[in-house]
Amino acid sequence: MCQIHECNVELSCEQLDRDSLAALREAFHQRHKALFSYSEPDSPVELVNLECSVIARLQRPPLPELEIPAMACTAAPEGHRPMLFSADAPWQDTPVYNGDRLRAGQSILGPCVIEEATTNIVVPPGWRATLEPSATYRLTPGD
């Protein structure tokens, strides 16, 4: 007979050492028997996956504070792309903005797309996106 089944076994210990590994092995055999009605304590045990949860207290990192330019400037799109915003609406030629080039305080009325390094922000028609000094975007119903 061969224990070929994997099963999850919880291990609560401060340190993974010889004693905790022995306890883990015993817990595996008990869990295996409970799940599959047999166990082979003399067979080798293979650790396939190890999941770990860590809980710690950390200081909250400071939020960035973007400088608001003294003179307001208008954001310029870097291109356009056709987009659908509703199943019953026609395609719209939609402006595409580079998020790295936007300045704090700038607002863009949708429809538009703001391309960031890790995401794209789609601003639907009738909505406004404003780049906040905290480097976040605030979306609000447009004027």
Side-chain angles (χ1 to χ4, degrees):
M1 205 176 247
C2 179
Q3 293 181 166
I4 59 170
H5 302 289
E6 294 177 16
C7 58
N8 293 333
V9 179
E10 190 169 321
L11 176 65
S12 298
C13 65
E14 295 290 322
Q15 183 175 329
L16 198 56
D17 56 17
R18 197 177 291 255
D19 291 337
S20 59
L21 285 174
L24 181 61
R25 179 183 169 95
E26 179 59 31
F28 167 77
H29 289 299
Q30 289 176 6
R31 180 77 174 138
H32 193 279
K33 184 164 184 144
L35 291 173
F36 305 110
S37 75
Y38 73 95
S39 177
E40 293 184 354
D42 296 330
S43 295
V45 174
E46 179 181 352
L47 181 62
V48 178
N49 293 307
L50 180 64
E51 295 178 15
C52 176
S53 296
V54 177
I55 300 171
R57 290 186 189 260
L58 301 173
Q59 285 187 335
R60 186 174 294 222
L63 290 175
E65 193 65 31
L66 301 177
E67 186 177 324
I68 297 177
M71 293 182 55
C73 55
T74 305
E78 298 216 337
H80 289 76
R81 71 171 66 137
M83 293 184 68
L84 277 177
F85 291 93
S86 172
D88 56 350
W91 287 86
Q92 294 187 38
D93 191 35
T94 306
V96 178
Y97 294 86
N98 180 339
D100 291 338
R101 298 197 178 182
L102 296 178
R103 300 293 162 242
Q106 284 185 313
S107 287
I108 305 167
L109 187 61
C112 69
V113 175
I114 303 169
E115 292 182 337
E116 292 280 339
T118 58
T119 191
N120 289 338
I121 301 162
V122 176
V123 183
W127 283 78
R128 177 178 302 280
T130 304
L131 181 58
E132 298 291 319
S134 61
T136 59
Y137 289 94
R138 181 172 36 98
L139 272 70
T140 54
D143 301 317

